[in-house]
Amino acid sequence: EADIYQTPRYLVIGTGKKITLECSQTMGHDKMYWYQQDPGMELHLIHYSYGVNSTEKGDLSSESTVSRIRTEHFPLTLESARPSHTSQYLCASSEVREEETQYFGPGTRLLVL
Amino acid sequence: AQKITQTQPGMFVQEKEAVTLDCTYDTSDPSYGLFWYKQPSSGEMIFLIYQGSYDQQNATEGRYSLNFQKARKSANLVISASQLGDSAMYFCAMREGEGERDDKIIFGKGTRLHILP
């Protein structure tokens, strides 16, 4: 079983609020990822990190930002939430090797009113 | 162009029957990896099975097997003796490269599987 955690699991918040979605893993993985997924749809990579102090934007443009100050922690921040940010956000981590299985957290379901 | 194509948006299968979920991929990289994930209605992504491009044999994990046809660029997931708990979204994914630092994994659009009692 993967040791990757996300909080909160569910968040309902008003437009304009600043929010931070937490993601942490205890497996010592160097690579971490954030995906955005609308219900029943595909995953879109929005951010990833190779390791501490490394962050990269993914394939889908996002107004969110991320930081990687510690190996185990990869938080995602929205400075001003909007209804268009309503979605599920999945965090994942993996080792740098050939069988690069990504282990996913349980996800955060965000609703912006 | 789609790198990962899952042509079945939804499938209905009778319990205890075998299921094949289709996946085709597109890459010019000789080294790549293929993955299948299951996503139940609760939302978490569960890793099922992995196949490396150089693996000679098809991967198997319990009731899951991956029918890897390299020349056709297909990596279908086969679930034997389906169970009600298999009802979920299933995603096929590919990593291009040899597991280096900057490799990314690309996901298909998914297939929703419904197992009927």
Side-chain angles (χ1 to χ4, degrees), chain A residues 85-103:
Chain A
H85 297 138
T86 294
S87 190
Q88 171 163 255
Y89 293 84
L90 289 161
C91 179
S93 72
S94 67
E95 295 180 40
V96 179
R97 61 187 184 96
E98 184 181 344
E99 186 178 330
E100 189 185 300
T101 301
Q102 289 189 356
Y103 294 97

Side-chain angles (χ1 to χ4, degrees), chain B:
Chain B
Q2 286 280 336
K3 290 263 187 177
I4 295 285
T5 303
Q6 295 181 252
T7 56
Q8 308 149 310
M11 286 184 71
F12 290 83
V13 173
Q14 207 67 43
E15 190 182 7
K16 298 180 185 172
E17 289 184 354
V19 180
T20 298
L21 303 180
D22 295 341
C23 175
T24 57
Y25 58 92
D26 181 26
T27 182
S28 56
D29 199 317
S31 180
Y32 52 91
L34 298 157
F35 305 79
W36 277 94
Y37 285 86
K38 172 184 178 181
Q39 187 178 43
S41 56
S42 51
E44 74 269 30
M45 292 282 283
I46 302 167
F47 166 72
L48 295 178
I49 198 166
Y50 168 82
Q51 178 88 41
S53 57
Y54 296 120
D55 293 343
Q56 297 293 318
Q57 293 188 327
N58 287 345
T60 60
E61 288 286 346
R63 292 186 300 113
Y64 304 108
S65 60
L66 200 151
N67 184 3
F68 182 43
Q69 298 191 39
K70 198 168 183 177
R72 294 186 181 181
K73 293 188 176 179
S74 89
N76 298 341
L77 176 71
V78 180
I79 307 174
S80 63
S82 58
Q83 301 170 356
L84 295 178
D86 294 333
S87 294
M89 278 287 278
Y90 288 81
F91 290 95
C92 180
M94 175 177 68
R95 185 218 70 244
E96 293 178 295
E98 298 181 3
E100 299 296 328
R101 187 172 179 261
D102 56 351
D103 290 346
K104 288 185 286 183
I105 293 182
I106 304 159
F107 286 83
K109 291 182 183 293
T111 294
R112 183 167 294 282
L113 176 64
H114 303 269
I115 304 298
L116 304 172

